[in-house]
Amino acid sequence: MPKLNINGGMIDVEVEDDTPLLWVIRDHVGLTGTKYGCGVAQCGACTVHIDGVATRSCALPVNAVGEDQKIVTIEGLGAKGLHPVQQAWAELDVAQCGYCQVGMIMAVSSLLAQNPRPTDDEIKAEITNICRCGTYTRVLAGVKLAAERMGASRG
Amino acid sequence: MSTMDRRIGNSARIEASRRAFVVGGLAGAFSLGFSLPAPEAALAQTASAPPEIGAWVVVQPDETVIIRVARAEMGQGTLTGLAQLVAEELECDWGNVRYEMVKPAENRARGRIWRDMSTGGSFGIRSSHAYVRAGGAAARLMLIQAAAESWKVNAGECRVERGVIHHPPTGRKATYGSVAAAAAKLSPPQNIALKDPNRWTIAGQPVKRLDTADKLDGSLVYGVDFKLPGMLIALPRACPVHGGKLVSFDAAAISGMRGVKHVLRVDDETVVVVADTFWRAKTALDALPIVWDEGPNANASSETIATTLREGLSAETRFIGNKVGDAQPALASGSDVYEADYSYPYQNHAQMEVLSATVRWSPERCDVWAPTQVAEAAHDTAASAAGVPTANCEIHTMRIGGSFGRRLSTDYIRMAVLIARQIPGVPVKMIWTREEDMAQGRFHPVTRARMRAKLGTDGTVEALHMRISGQSIAAYARPSAITENGDPFVFQGLTPVAPEGSFAYAIPNLLIDHAMRNPHIRPGFWRGVNTNHNAFYSECFIDELAHRAKQDPLDFRRRMMGGSPKHLAVLDAVADRVGWGNPAPDGIFRGIAQYMGFGSYTAAVAEVSVADGRLKMHRIVAATDPGHALNPQQIEAQVAGSFVYGLSAMLHGECTVKDGRIEQQNFDTYNVLRMDEMPAVEVIVMPSGGFWGGVGEPTIAVAAPAVLNAIFAATGKRIRDLPLKNTDLRVS
Ligand code: FES
Ligand code: FES
């Protein structure tokens, strides 16, 4: 029976080995903040962090995730108060329908952890999540605002 | 986010608050004969008895103002806009405002007190602004009246400031919360005067949306996330050839698979696998042997559809949308007749949240938790599929993960009920895979156009014939709208005078007509609807004519727009902003377009470059005159979003047909615009007052023509067939 480290807790999940991590998180663990958009690693709605790296969970079989790997979902990201990316998103009213935004926020928070001052081109190359409502302009502004804030708080 | 925010966003709340008020406490919430899911039940129990002040407003003792919203929220900000209108007249403190969603059975039980619940055609706000404002004003007057009565003063001497009632002669004041219970006992006043929009302080302001917090932390429960205890997951598959039939399926082949509970026929064309989880249902469905009778369209293809539509380009029989003078004799023959054919392909909505609905059915009662743009139609559909009276059926409406018109159809609601009906008492959540959503869309219709024109000696357009050949959405989706004059919607933005959209150009001999050709692929209302191709055909061809007349595309348009001052105003605004008369920066080329749709005037200039066949869209300047601008920052978001949707279709969007079925199955083959292709969008919001136009859709029309006209300026290539990915932009 696979054991997963999700949002800091160990969870036993009784599933078939080939079950994508997305469906383990949604149907077995019961956390629905991580979204299904395509199931084929195209849209990014299912993005979670695995050891800090943004990962599309819909195309990752659960048996490819080790017990020692730390999975963080949107529910874990802001557990101790809103993450700066979430704050920037609130400030700029980025979300329209909101469905893609959880994946956006997970992708962006991972990007900023690795590259605190990304250029516009780097942001555009890294954040390939699909937003059908078309929030890209504000997403770009949100990344920069969050980067600025996080930079300031690092001093 | 506070717990309060979370609670108020809950769609069960309205049940709790109103019933609690009417019958006192918890009993009301359960009197409908179903138990609320856990968090909602807890909520109902803790709810105090907040008084309802008329239909639209509840004021709680702690000053929280709950505004009822009867229209769907699918990303366009309708919810916030409607709340702004109510709050404006209520004169409450905007910071205290929360919302709750109305449900259709309740609406009906109360004599449709919240009126129409549909949200489409960019009508959500503009078709309800007057009565929701009146609802806010009525509540204000009732609250004032209650305070005045308790003070034994004349209500006319009282005034309100941000939810506090003042009586200046005596210096007394009272908060809304303190008089709400008394106000709730009063009857709503008649003859309500609404504020002049010039005096608005909440409406018209760029306030933030009310529905953001739970979108950022994953706590918003979309339809596809909804859960009930003991719930099963159902994944349907319908015949991939629309109109084909389900012959048989071999349930035994998958019956031993883990988690599989049922394999059922849903209707003539659909089979469903019901399991304990999504993945188990999907694994089993993919393994299920199914035999289809694909019917008469089994061999249809994009080519056969194109042939049918091409025939319509010169067909005699047609419907007329606009006729001035006599275009046909002028265009009968001659080398000076200029002609071009255009085409626009099928598009899938590809809204991010796939279709879903959760249903609990018993012979007596049916509850549906589902996102929908047409709650009342969905209610009818559900009750009839469930075989229960509408009073025993409820649609628990939910906020929607993007819709763009897809959920104006209730096909998925009916399907979910038909599934749950075969498993009485067990809640069933039906989810469509992305592949099913792509195959069973309600597609942007396919059309072609033949444009024919003759220029006068003075370089103006002497005659223009625009023949549209192709699919009518209404013929499939709203057959009752088809008259002996055809489908009125196909001429969106092309008719002489219409509040929804009029053709801007004065041309002495003009004919715009439609040869209806309806292939078997099911069409639907797709953001922008018929303005997408109508604007592409007319605004690109006008650009062609300008080039032929050796005139500047802006001047050429302006000369024909003397009778269309509002169209002209938005056009001039974008031209001024980019400095149209001055040369563009090196390597950058400009295109311009204007169009009217959904009651609003729109225009855009696109700035692009093309290097080695690679298009880069640098900047779009867009202007819109929606009459009134309720929330400028949300309008800006909608305009930018419309460009993403429209340019996505222009660049990539195409659903092709092979062997009778849609070929594209997911985003890997139905590519959409992502951030790397997104141009900067500058939005000019220029409300001229006196009318209410839409916001969610109108601007999409000018997205493609502005960019395509800029591409012509850059390359000399006229793109007449979309999407652009099929054209090599390299200059040979
Ligand atoms: S659901 Fe995983 S990338 Fe789309
Ligand atoms: S906000 Fe709706 S899909 Fe991105």
Side-chain angles (χ1 to χ4, degrees):
Chain A
M1 189 167 8
K3 259 190 196 312
L4 295 175
N5 181 336
I6 298 188
N7 297 333
M10 292 303 294
I11 301 182
D12 293 323
V13 284
E14 227 243 288
V15 296
E16 294 73 50
D17 279 355
D18 65 345
T19 309
L21 178 62
L22 169 66
W23 295 107
V24 176
I25 291 170
R26 287 180 60 85
D27 283 355
H28 298 270
V29 182
L31 297 174
T32 56
T34 307
K35 302 302 181 200
Y36 166 65
C38 68
V40 294
Q42 281 286 322
C43 74
C46 63
T47 305
V48 298
H49 295 173
I50 298 184
D51 291 335
V53 178
T55 307
R56 295 187 172 173
S57 63
C58 68
L60 185 69
V62 66
N63 66 356
V65 185
E67 277 182 28
D68 51 340
Q69 290 186 288
K70 295 194 178 65
I71 302 164
V72 175
T73 70
I74 189 72
E75 290 87 350
L77 183 78
K80 298 192 198 89
L82 289 183
H83 186 280
V85 174
Q86 290 168 308
Q87 286 170 19
W89 255 235
E91 206 164 308
L92 299 179
D93 238 6
V94 171
Q96 291 191 26
C97 81
Y99 195 83
C100 73
Q101 298 299 340
V102 162
M104 285 279 186
I105 289 166
M106 295 307 284
V108 169
S109 53
S110 162
L111 169 66
L112 292 181
Q114 277 141 46
N115 180 357
R117 280 257 174 248
T119 64
D120 281 18
D121 285 345
E122 285 169 340
I123 296 167
K124 288 177 180 177
E126 286 298 319
I127 307 302
T128 57
N129 299 39
I130 295 174
C131 173
R132 288 291 283 159
C133 294
T135 60
Y136 300 125
T137 312
R138 291 194 189 186
V139 167
L140 189 63
V143 179
K144 296 206 266 197
L145 180 61
E148 208 178 290
R149 295 278 165 75
M150 291 165 78
S153 71
R154 269 191 300 270
Chain B
M1 184 179 61
S2 70
T3 347
M4 183 55 87
D5 289 340
R6 259 173 230 238
R7 287 207 214 154
I8 303 296
N10 195 305
S11 64
R13 182 69 177 181
I14 190 164
E15 193 81 62
S17 60
R18 186 183 67 81
R19 303 232 169 218
F21 170 64
V22 175
V23 300
L26 165 69
F30 289 94
S31 65
L32 290 181
F34 65 95
S35 57
L36 295 164
E40 300 176 21
L43 172 74
Q45 283 164 24
T46 54
S48 54
E52 177 184 276
I53 327 274
W56 298 94
V57 174
V58 171
V59 178
Q60 295 183 326
D62 69 354
E63 308 300 331
T64 301
V65 172
I66 300 170
I67 293 175
R68 267 81 182 260
V69 176
R71 305 296 178 119
E73 176 53 61
M74 47 196 159
Q76 274 58 54
T78 312
L79 180 161
T80 304
L82 289 170
Q84 280 178 270
L85 288 169
V86 175
E88 178 63 54
E89 293 289 344
L90 181 59
E91 296 186 8
C92 61
D93 184 340
W94 177 250
N96 292 336
V97 170
R98 307 289 182 267
Y99 68 90
E100 59 189 11
M101 311 295 281
V102 165
K103 286 181 274 190
E106 272 206 83
N107 191 20
R108 284 181 164 161
R110 297 186 67 186
R112 288 189 90 218
I113 194 164
W114 294 291
R115 306 210 203 178
D116 186 0
M117 296 182 67
S118 70
T119 312
S122 298
F123 270 112
I125 288 171
R126 62 197 176 109
S127 67
S128 65
H129 66 90
Y131 62 78
V132 304
R133 286 152 76 199
R140 182 190 75 237
L141 294 170
M142 290 159 78
L143 288 157
I144 293 174
Q145 184 66 32
E149 281 177 16
S150 80
W151 296 332
K152 306 212 173 10
V153 302
N154 185 342
E157 293 169 3
C158 298
R159 59 179 178 77
V160 177
E161 218 171 283
R162 291 167 64 120
V164 181
I165 304 161
H166 297 262
H167 183 249
T170 59
R172 277 189 274 207
K173 51 182 174 176
T175 64
Y176 274 1
S178 69
V179 297
K185 299 195 178 87
L186 303 173
S187 341
Q190 306 299 315
N191 304 326
I192 294 163
L194 299 179
K195 280 190 188 174
D196 182 331
N198 292 323
R199 290 179 42 232
W200 283 349
T201 58
I202 298 172
Q205 297 304 308
V207 300
K208 288 201 189 141
R209 299 172 65 121
L210 290 175
D211 57 339
T212 292
D214 59 0
K215 290 173 181 166
L216 306 183
D217 65 3
S219 63
L220 169 51
V221 175
Y222 294 92
V224 77
D225 302 325
F226 187 71
K227 274 184 264 188
L228 288 172
M231 183 179 81
L232 297 176
I233 307 290
L235 265 56
R237 184 166 292 166
C239 183
V241 180
H242 296 180
K245 302 272 179 264
L246 171 64
V247 176
S248 63
F249 51 91
D250 183 5
I254 61 163
S255 61
M257 290 180 73
R258 189 161 182 198
V260 174
K261 309 284 185 196
H262 307 271
V263 187
L264 304 166
R265 170 184 282 273
V266 184
D267 57 18
D268 262 9
E269 54 185 87
T270 316
V271 60
V272 67
V273 172
V274 184
D276 57 352
T277 68
F278 178 98
W279 190 250
R280 287 171 183 157
K282 181 169 189 303
T283 308
L285 180 61
D286 287 343
L288 178 69
I290 306 171
V291 180
W292 307 110
D293 166 10
E294 295 179 352
N297 298 304
N299 298 318
S301 66
S302 291
E303 289 70 39
T304 63
I305 292 170
T307 303
T308 307
L309 265 57
R310 280 200 191 95
E311 180 275 322
L313 290 175
S314 54
E316 288 294 319
T317 315
R318 82 285 198 237
F319 302 111
I320 294 176
N322 198 343
K323 189 171 188 303
V324 180
D326 207 351
Q328 272 170 314
L331 297 169
S333 64
S335 59
D336 51 352
V337 174
Y338 184 57
E339 180 175 312
D341 287 359
Y342 283 76
S343 72
Y344 191 98
Y346 282 119
Q347 306 281 349
N348 188 291
H349 293 88
Q351 73 291 341
M352 281 312 298
E353 183 191 9
V354 292
L355 296 184
S356 74
T358 302
V359 182
R360 183 170 47 210
W361 183 90
S362 74
E364 296 77 39
R365 174 154 190 98
C366 180
D367 281 284
V368 179
W369 289 263
T372 169
Q373 294 181 238
V374 283
E376 292 172 289
H379 188 220
D380 286 333
T381 300
S384 109
V388 303
T390 49
N392 295 350
C393 178
E394 182 60 290
I395 305 277
H396 305 267
T397 55
M398 311 187 81
R399 280 148 68 199
I400 310 177
S403 205
F404 314 113
R406 178 62 184 90
R407 293 180 186 83
L408 287 168
S409 169
T410 59
D411 54 312
Y412 62 102
I413 302 271
R414 176 180 160 277
M415 188 183 286
V417 173
L418 292 178
I419 296 166
R421 201 176 164 165
Q422 299 185 58
I423 318 170
V426 177
V428 180
K429 175 162 70 181
M430 178 198 73
I431 305 176
W432 288 19
T433 60
R434 175 59 65 188
E435 288 77 10
E436 190 69 8
D437 208 290
M438 286 294 298
Q440 303 298 334
R442 293 292 179 269
F443 294 84
H444 185 297
V446 67
T447 58
R448 289 179 170 258
R450 174 158 297 164
M451 311 295 294
R452 302 183 74 234
K454 192 176 196 173
L455 294 170
T457 45
D458 58 350
T460 60
V461 184
E462 185 187 315
L464 171 68
H465 179 198
M466 172 174 182
R467 161 63 60 87
I468 307 162
S469 170
Q471 198 157 10
S472 152
I473 303 167
Y476 172 76
R478 299 263 197 290
S480 62
I482 303 285
T483 69
E484 75 265 20
N485 299 319
D487 172 353
F489 302 125
V490 300
F491 299 112
Q492 263 187 309
L494 298 172
T495 47
V497 268
E500 282 297 280
S502 56
F503 190 65
Y505 304 114
I507 295 174
N509 299 289
L510 173 72
L511 177 63
I512 302 176
D513 55 11
H514 175 227
M516 195 188 293
R517 296 291 181 277
N518 293 326
H520 73 293
I521 298 294
R522 292 167 178 157
F525 299 92
W526 190 97
R527 192 179 199 175
V529 195
N530 293 299
T531 69
N532 291 307
H533 47 263
N534 288 350
F536 162 48
Y537 302 152
S538 61
E539 280 301 286
C540 287
F541 190 65
I542 288 286
D543 221 73
E544 295 203 40
L545 295 178
H547 181 70
R548 224 178 140 76
K550 300 193 171 49
Q551 290 183 39
D552 174 81
L554 172 65
D555 293 342
F556 186 71
R557 284 176 171 81
R558 294 187 93 253
R559 292 173 70 185
M560 297 185 284
M561 291 174 73
S564 307
K566 287 186 192 272
H567 297 76
L568 188 56
V570 288
L571 188 69
D572 282 345
V574 291
D576 283 356
R577 174 69 67 89
V578 299
W580 181 268
N582 308 324
D586 242 10
I588 304 273
F589 296 86
R590 293 185 181 131
I592 195 164
Q594 64 77 30
Y595 209 71
M596 183 186 183
F598 306 92
S600 293
Y601 303 84
T602 67
V605 170
E607 293 187 335
V608 313
S609 63
V610 181
D612 301 329
R614 282 174 52 96
L615 169 70
K616 183 162 168 55
M617 301 183 289
H618 297 265
R619 175 191 185 209
I620 305 275
V621 174
T624 180
D625 175 3
H628 291 282
L630 187 45
N631 187 328
Q633 68 99 350
Q634 284 301 311
I635 294 174
E636 183 199 290
Q638 287 310 302
V639 171
S642 291
F643 274 92
V644 173
Y645 212 69
L647 295 177
S648 190
M650 183 206 79
L651 289 172
H652 308 292
E654 175 182 43
C655 293
T656 51
V657 180
K658 189 173 176 218
D659 299 330
R661 68 202 74 204
I662 297 289
E663 287 190 276
Q664 291 69 22
Q665 300 191 343
N666 209 318
F667 290 114
D668 48 0
T669 43
Y670 187 71
N671 193 16
V672 295
L673 187 142
R674 298 170 203 239
M675 200 158 39
D676 60 344
E677 291 177 320
M678 176 73 189
V681 177
E682 285 168 43
V683 184
I684 305 168
V685 182
M686 42 189 290
S688 61
F691 65 99
W692 286 75
V695 164
E697 294 173 274
T699 333
I700 193 171
V702 289
V707 172
L708 294 169
N709 292 339
I711 290 174
F712 172 77
T715 64
K717 289 198 183 204
R718 284 292 174 192
I719 312 297
R720 301 193 184 95
D721 303 287
L722 293 182
L724 191 62
K725 66 167 179 164
N726 299 334
T727 302
D728 184 351
L729 285 182
R730 275 174 301 195
V731 185
S732 46

